[in-house]
Amino acid sequence: MPIHPQIAKILATLPAPDGSPLDPAALRADEAARILPADKRLQLHAVVDATAVTSAGEVPVRIYTPTDAAEHSIIVYFHGGAFFLGSLDSHDHVARALASETGHKVISVGYRLAPEAPFPAGLEDCYAVVRWAESDGGMLGWDGRNLAIAGDSSGGNFVAAVAAKAHDDGFHHITHQILYYPSLDLDFDADRYPSLRENAEGYGLETAGLKPFNAFYLDGGAEPGDPLVSPIKRADLTGLPPALIVTAEFDPLRDEGELYGQRLDEAGVDTTVSRYSGANHGFVQNFSWIPEFHRVFAETSEFLNRSPRK
């Protein structure tokens, strides 16, 4: 099917890339100007800004509690933004929808951003907050059941890397991993995946922009072949938590997400790969108000609450 007509209308208004150098400060200011006003946001039982005191230092978090129940299962959420954009505010509406639809308490992580803090700073913050959530579960009102991790785009990269780090460290408390159109291969060879060619231009995220967008994260000396940088490079995927991988039909990153799902499944990990037709990269953040895309939150809830496949 073609790209959704409401997405197409908005894409038609976007200026064509002009090849000029990226200015993180200007892009962050533009992002901040488009944040939904507080009175337009989905209301929950409680939304509280806090600080997680972790092994990586003090990390700002925002905690979303959907109901007045004494205990909830938990999702630790890592926002997207090519490792240098995104914030607790830019993805506030995503965290609220996740909490509302799943009934889980959501802890959104305000991790350090590149270029000021390149790899591995953001990853360390995300992993440390997951460990903090488990160790301080009583204070957080964790019911001791699900401790899921979720993220979109570069946040999906962090999900895969955190799941791997936890496994290797013997930390087996993560029950689910949820990756929305994840960026899993930072070795940007345009011939590596067909979707990089098929969806190269005209769908919001362009293949030519991947390398400069992610350069801020890599420029600290990270190697794209490192599995903690490019999780799809990890050789052994056995023993990782059950995974939901959501991809978008018109996304350059579509095929790497789907290949990662295939590899997880082949490694014996309970994996669901769900492609959203007519969608583009970023649709969970930008277009979840379209009914057929809003169902991603219901699908996430179903994944979290069903029994694992054997």
Side-chain angles (χ1 to χ4, degrees), residues 104-115:
H104 285 49
K105 180 171 290 194
V106 173
I107 303 171
S108 185
V109 183
Y111 57 83
R112 289 170 287 173
L113 299 175

Side-chain angles (χ1 to χ4, degrees), residues 251-289:
D251 181 1
L253 304 185
R254 181 194 68 207
D255 291 351
E256 63 197 72
E258 294 180 0
L259 176 60
Y260 189 64
Q262 178 184 328
R263 290 193 57 229
L264 284 170
D265 186 68
E266 290 170 350
V269 177
D270 178 8
T271 304
T272 299
V273 177
S274 181
R275 180 192 292 188
Y276 277 65
S277 299
N280 67 339
H281 188 84
F283 78 90
V284 174
Q285 180 192 8
N286 299 319
F287 297 106
S288 58
W289 49 270

Side-chain angles (χ1 to χ4, degrees), residues 183 185-190 192 196 207 210-211 214-215 218 253:
S183 174
D185 191 344
L186 272 61
D187 182 3
F188 299 113
D189 176 357
R192 187 176 296 276
L196 289 171
T207 297
L210 293 172
K211 188 171 184 178
N214 291 280
L218 298 174
L253 304 185

Side-chain angles (χ1 to χ4, degrees), residues 1-4 199 203 248-252 254 276 278-281:
M1 65 177 294
I3 195 157
H4 193 284
N199 300 323
Y203 299 113
E249 180 181 8
F250 295 101
D251 181 1
R254 181 194 68 207
Y276 277 65
N280 67 339
H281 188 84

Side-chain angles (χ1 to χ4, degrees), residues 41-47 63-67 92 95-101 104 106:
R41 299 175 190 172
L42 178 67
Q43 297 302 300
L44 301 173
H45 175 67
V47 178
I63 303 172
Y64 301 80
T65 305
T67 70
D92 178 84
R96 287 173 185 264
L98 274 173
S100 177
E101 294 287 342
H104 285 49
V106 173

Side-chain angles (χ1 to χ4, degrees), residues 25-205:
L27 290 168
R28 289 170 185 167
D30 178 67
E31 179 179 67
R34 293 182 282 108
I35 290 170
L36 198 66
D39 62 351
K40 302 291 186 182
R41 299 175 190 172
L42 178 67
Q43 297 302 300
L44 301 173
H45 175 67
V47 178
V48 178
D49 286 335
T51 299
V53 180
T54 77
S55 58
E58 295 187 348
V59 183
V61 295
R62 185 169 293 166
I63 303 172
Y64 301 80
T65 305
T67 70
D68 63 357
E71 295 182 325
H72 299 81
S73 287
I74 287 176
I75 301 170
V76 183
Y77 174 66
F78 314 137
H79 67 76
F83 307 102
F84 78 99
L85 289 171
S87 67
L88 296 177
D89 290 329
S90 69
H91 287 65
D92 178 84
H93 60 294
V94 178
R96 287 173 185 264
L98 274 173
S100 177
E101 294 287 342
T102 66
H104 285 49
K105 180 171 290 194
V106 173
I107 303 171
S108 185
V109 183
Y111 57 83
R112 289 170 287 173
L113 299 175
E116 296 86 354
F119 173 86
L123 173 59
E124 290 176 343
D125 288 350
C126 290
Y127 181 46
V129 170
V130 174
R131 300 291 298 253
W132 168 81
E134 187 276 330
S135 64
D136 282 15
M139 178 198 72
L140 292 168
W142 179 37
D143 63 11
R145 300 179 63 192
N146 289 349
L147 178 59
I149 54 177
D152 61 296
S153 192
S154 55
N157 176 294
F158 285 152
V159 167
V162 165
K165 280 178 64 66
H167 177 272
D168 293 348
D169 288 349
F171 179 80
H172 299 303
H173 297 283
I174 297 173
T175 60
H176 304 75
Q177 52 177 322
I178 301 155
L179 301 83
Y180 301 129
Y181 38 82
S183 174
L184 297 169
D185 191 344
L186 272 61
D187 182 3
F188 299 113
D189 176 357
D191 293 323
R192 187 176 296 276
Y193 305 104
S195 60
L196 289 171
R197 299 187 299 274
E198 295 168 8
N199 300 323
E201 297 180 347
Y203 299 113
L205 177 65

